[in-house]
Amino acid sequence: QSSAPADQTSTMSAIGTQLAPVVAPVVRAPTRRSRPRGMRVVAMGGRMDGTAGSLFGGGKKVADEANLPPPGYRSRTDIPKMLNNTPHPREVRKWFYDDCRESVVAAVTGANPKTRVKAWIEFPELNVNGDVYRIGTLLELVREVAMALAADGKRVRVCVQGSMGQGVFQGLPLSLSGVARILDMMDWGDADEFITRGSIGGDVPQPDDAYFILISPQNIVGYSVLPYLQEMEKAAGDRPIIMINPKLGDIQSAGNVMSIRGRGERRDYVEKTWEEVYHFRLLYKKPFFFPIYGALRYGTGGMWELYKKFGKMEQEEWKLLRTYDDGEPGAAEITKRILAKD
């Protein structure tokens, strides 16, 4: 039996000594995970940035009494039940139509009428990110608002943006495809002679138009709808313009449109020029749309209202948790209140 030379043996021994720390098994104490592997920490309120207010820290008692509803405050605890059941019954849609119409009409026809307003309403049939989005529901809402404004004989122009761009690069948001044609076929009832259709632009307003309703104006890749809105504003003067479900955030593109330059001015135009007079959206554990945890609502003359849903199916009920008179609550505040033990 042969043996390796002495110098080879010493070399192999040195290499083995160097590799030992690498190949030796590492034994550590078991790590206790704070949440199951693969689950994402997200906050309610529409954000997915994982900031304070995670859904995986619930069950804590909220002791403070800040922002409790004032005595005698008119809450809307009659929010429809089982909103995940679609298509929605007519009475469910009507509740949202009436709630939104009341706030919008009061804002533009009250003692101090507002001229640049917007409304955001998002329940399952009006959530473009879901698979049950129904354009007919949005148009029925528009019809309710338009007919209420035209009830005293004033003319209302209902507008939907046209294609933006040139030649083969023309484009239209998918959610607005075919809307203009549907508007032409809609039944406006007794207000038919007072309601006309139009697009968005400086040449749209006519001298006899009293109100303008813009259906979900939004940017697309490579083109912004804001210049068309600004031109229409100038032409309309002090006549009220109402935007319903606008989506005016920047969309990046290779053409350097809606880039960092000018973003502050665009944001100020959207947030400061246009006053939000109605807001309703359901609260989920994003990115899922089930179950529904609560709702956030705002109406003209009131405060931001945070509701929590209790029970299941026919036993569902809504409770007003907090009201805010200093603006929309953030995701962390919403999450803390919704997950607190009562």
Side-chain angles (χ1 to χ4, degrees):
Q1 184 177 1
S2 60
S3 60
D7 56 345
Q8 183 176 354
T9 303
S10 60
T11 301
M12 294 176 61
S13 176
I15 294 175
T17 302
Q18 294 176 2
L19 291 179
V22 179
V23 300
V26 179
V27 179
R28 297 177 181 173
T31 301
R32 182 178 180 181
R33 296 187 177 274
S34 59
R35 60 183 184 275
R37 183 187 298 272
M39 299 187 75
R40 304 178 64 186
V41 178
V42 296
M44 286 183 181
R47 294 188 184 182
M48 292 183 60
D49 52 7
T51 53
S54 164
L55 292 180
F56 297 96
K60 297 181 180 180
K61 181 72 175 180
V62 179
D64 66 277
E65 298 182 355
N67 299 310
L68 285 174
Y73 185 82
R74 179 198 172 196
S75 62
R76 295 305 305 263
T77 53
D78 58 338
I79 299 173
K81 303 176 181 180
M82 297 190 295
L83 288 175
N84 276 122
N85 287 357
T86 55
H88 296 312
R90 288 187 177 183
E91 57 271 17
V92 170
R93 296 173 187 152
K94 189 177 186 304
W95 188 95
F96 289 105
Y97 299 161
D98 294 344
D99 194 39
C100 181
R101 183 196 64 230
E102 178 183 341
S103 295
V104 171
V105 173
V108 298
T109 64
N112 298 307
K114 307 177 188 299
T115 59
R116 302 292 182 266
V117 302
K118 58 184 177 181
W120 182 264
I121 176 170
E122 186 180 83
F123 56 98
E125 284 191 354
L126 287 185
N127 186 349
V128 295
N129 296 316
D131 57 359
V132 294
Y133 176 73
R134 180 176 180 265
I135 187 59
T137 301
L138 178 61
L139 295 182
E140 288 172 359
L141 169 63
V142 170
R143 179 170 58 190
E144 291 288 327
V145 176
M147 292 177 65
L149 294 173
D152 59 354
K154 293 184 178 179
R155 294 193 171 274
V156 181
R157 187 171 293 274
V158 179
C159 307
V160 59
Q161 70 190 74
S163 297
M164 295 186 292
Q166 298 178 353
V168 296
F169 297 103
Q170 284 188 343
L172 184 70
L174 182 61
S175 61
L176 296 179
S177 179
V179 172
R181 185 174 181 181
I182 298 174
L183 281 175
D184 290 335
M185 298 185 293
M186 285 181 62
D187 179 13
W188 300 96
D190 295 336
D192 186 71
E193 61 177 308
F194 302 106
I195 299 177
T196 54
R197 192 184 69 79
S199 58
I200 298 178
D203 58 342
V204 174
Q206 299 300 314
D208 57 347
D209 292 333
Y211 302 99
F212 303 90
I213 300 178
L214 312 185
I215 302 176
S216 192
Q218 51 193 286
N219 301 317
I220 62 174
V221 175
Y223 297 96
S224 173
V225 75
L226 295 186
Y228 299 91
L229 279 176
Q230 293 168 337
E231 293 174 4
M232 188 171 185
E233 263 199 286
K234 294 179 181 178
D238 59 356
R239 290 174 287 180
I241 303 179
I242 304 162
M243 294 196 300
I244 297 181
N245 282 14
K247 297 180 66 177
L248 301 177
D250 286 350
I251 300 178
Q252 298 299 308
S253 67
N256 202 29
V257 179
M258 293 176 281
S259 60
I260 296 178
R261 177 179 297 177
R263 180 170 297 171
E265 290 79 3
R266 292 191 297 272
R267 185 174 300 167
D268 287 343
Y269 171 74
V270 174
E271 295 179 358
K272 297 181 179 180
T273 302
W274 298 86
E275 180 178 351
E276 190 158 29
V277 296
Y278 181 79
H279 185 105
F280 184 96
R281 77 172 186 267
L282 298 174
L283 302 175
Y284 309 92
K285 175 183 159 186
K286 296 295 181 73
F288 308 105
F289 298 117
F290 182 86
I292 297 173
Y293 285 85
L296 188 65
R297 180 188 176 274
Y298 173 78
T300 301
M303 296 186 285
W304 287 87
E305 303 165 354
L306 178 60
Y307 293 87
K308 182 175 181 179
K309 183 177 71 68
F310 294 89
K312 297 180 179 179
M313 304 300 288
E314 288 81 1
Q315 283 71 44
E316 286 183 0
E317 61 178 357
W318 294 85
K319 178 182 177 181
L320 178 62
L321 297 184
R322 293 292 190 275
T323 56
Y324 306 87
D325 58 1
D326 55 350
E328 179 181 354
E333 167 70 8
I334 293 174
T335 305
K336 179 177 71 172
R337 301 300 179 187
I338 290 292
L339 293 185
K341 285 186 177 180
D342 295 293

